[in-house]
Amino acid sequence: MLLLAAAFIVAFVLLLYMVSPLISPKSLKLPGAHVVVTGGSSGIGKCIAIECYKQGAFITLIARDENKLLQTKKEIEKYSVNDKQVVLCISVDVSKDYEQVENVLKQAQEKLGPVDMLVNCAGTSVTGKFEDIEVNSFERLMAVNYLGSVYPSRAVIATMKERRMGRIVFVSSQAGQLGLFGYTAYSPTKFALRGLAEALQMEVKPYNVYVTVAYPPDTDTPGFAEESKTKPLETKLISETSSVCQAEQVARVIVKDAIQGNFNSSVGSDGYMLSILTSGMSPVTSITEGLQQVVCMGIFRIIGLFYLGSFDSIVRRCMMQREKSESANKTE
């Protein structure tokens, strides 16, 4: 009886693997495609632009610093695969004025054609204890990290639906899957992208437009280096439990998942586990993906509890050391 059940399960899994490609979205072809990358002058955004350019795409880079944009443009152009490719630079703050964002994207589409893939990578971070973070920092991060993705997406979605094709990528963070010490201002903005992505995907899927949410881990970028300067001790110790990835590696994964139309994009074993644990009611791209979530959820929850226990222990230990140090200072 057990052998029969095992055989049935194996046959069912094999059937899912065979059927899965038939219901998955067709891959987006990057040669000749128009890819817009916000926050594209450095870090993950720049590496995504380079990766797409290497595959023959036309690139529009959007960021605030015009000098950085021009430097990045020269760097990207070294990777051209044909003499027709173009890198267009636009200096604008994507989080302040929707009409301005809409206008610059119209200009970009007039020059390079309709946007085939939009990568929302503009973002910033502030770390610190909740009571130590300035109130206006919460407002600023929500504007940059959330509205800075809403505005460009809103500007291109109608054309994508009309053309019955397109990809929209929201670059979130593993801090958008798991709230951690020191990220009370940052994490909510990245969690918000998940809610936006799920609701938007339900709206646009009938039009053959697919949304991807990327959850990169700690990544070696200028922004990460700047963030590390102000991290509380607890946050630093928790971060040490996982390795720092290279931006090029993260970019390759995000581009691959985006062109395939995958909703979730994660890097490494920790990223895979978090994506399973936080899948909830998120869309699946294939039956196989759904099956993996069902099978792995329980064991990953057990592993996750060990992680949470370790994080709580770090926070508790730091608190005790701080109180001990403060007590010693008072007695001197």
Side-chain angles (χ1 to χ4, degrees), residues 17-301:
Y17 270 98
M18 288 187 291
V19 172
S20 180
L22 300 178
I23 65 169
S24 300
K26 290 182 179 179
S27 293
L28 176 71
K29 305 299 182 184
L30 281 183
H34 181 191
V35 178
V36 175
V37 184
T38 71
S41 62
S42 66
I44 294 174
K46 181 177 78 171
C47 291
I48 287 174
I50 290 174
E51 183 65 25
C52 292
Y53 200 68
K54 284 180 178 179
Q55 297 187 39
F58 290 69
I59 305 295
T60 294
L61 291 177
I62 297 178
R64 290 175 298 176
D65 192 319
E66 190 170 358
N67 290 328
K68 275 188 179 181
L69 279 170
L70 294 174
Q71 292 171 6
T72 302
K73 172 184 167 74
K74 292 178 181 178
E75 185 176 345
I76 293 174
E77 287 175 338
K78 297 175 183 178
Y79 298 95
S80 64
V81 295
N82 62 67
D83 56 6
K84 295 181 180 179
Q85 283 178 275
V86 176
V87 179
L88 177 65
C89 294
I90 299 176
S91 176
V92 67
D93 187 335
V94 293
S95 68
K96 285 192 174 179
D97 186 340
Y98 170 69
E99 289 186 1
Q100 189 178 18
V101 173
E102 185 180 36
N103 287 334
V104 298
L105 280 168
K106 281 181 180 178
Q107 294 170 20
Q109 293 184 90
E110 287 171 0
K111 293 179 180 179
L112 301 183
V115 176
D116 296 292
M117 183 161 80
L118 168 66
V119 183
N120 293 291
C121 205
T124 188
S125 175
V126 171
T127 57
K129 293 180 183 177
F130 181 66
E131 66 272 21
D132 294 337
I133 299 174
E134 296 292 335
V135 172
N136 61 7
S137 293
F138 290 87
E139 297 170 351
R140 180 169 62 88
L141 261 65
M142 187 58 76
V144 175
N145 295 350
Y146 179 68
L147 293 180
S149 293
V150 170
Y151 292 167
S153 302
R154 178 67 174 75
V156 303
I157 197 67
T159 304
M160 286 185 174
K161 289 170 71 174
E162 287 172 6
R163 298 174 64 222
R164 296 293 197 273
M165 64 173 292
R167 298 286 190 272
I168 294 181
V169 181
F170 296 105
V171 179
S172 179
S173 164
Q174 285 189 351
Q177 297 172 294
L178 169 67
L180 293 172
F181 191 105
Y183 286 111
T184 52
Y186 179 71
S187 278
T189 66
K190 294 300 186 176
F191 269 88
L193 290 176
R194 160 75 176 269
L196 170 63
E198 288 191 6
L200 182 60
Q201 179 63 99
M202 192 174 290
E203 287 189 21
V204 301
K205 187 175 180 180
Y207 298 91
N208 196 38
V209 177
Y210 287 89
V211 176
T212 297
V213 188
Y215 300 105
D218 286 343
T219 305
D220 186 11
T221 65
F224 177 71
E226 193 64 28
E227 170 195 314
S228 298
K229 295 177 182 178
T230 59
K231 279 183 178 178
L233 177 60
E234 292 89 339
T235 309
K236 290 180 179 179
L237 293 174
I238 290 172
S239 296
E240 288 174 0
T241 61
S242 60
S243 57
V244 178
C245 289
Q246 296 301 308
E248 294 82 2
Q249 176 195 2
V250 173
R252 283 194 296 271
V253 173
I254 292 174
V255 171
K256 179 182 177 183
D257 285 329
I259 62 178
Q260 291 178 348
N262 295 334
F263 183 78
N264 285 299
S265 179
S266 60
V267 179
S269 56
D270 286 350
Y272 177 74
M273 182 179 74
L274 273 174
S275 289
I276 296 289
L277 280 173
T278 60
S279 56
M281 288 291 288
S282 65
V284 292
T285 310
S286 67
I287 297 175
T288 305
E289 182 184 2
L291 182 65
Q292 290 173 349
Q293 293 169 357
V294 171
V295 172
C296 297
M297 182 72 76
I299 185 65
F300 283 174
R301 177 56 176 166

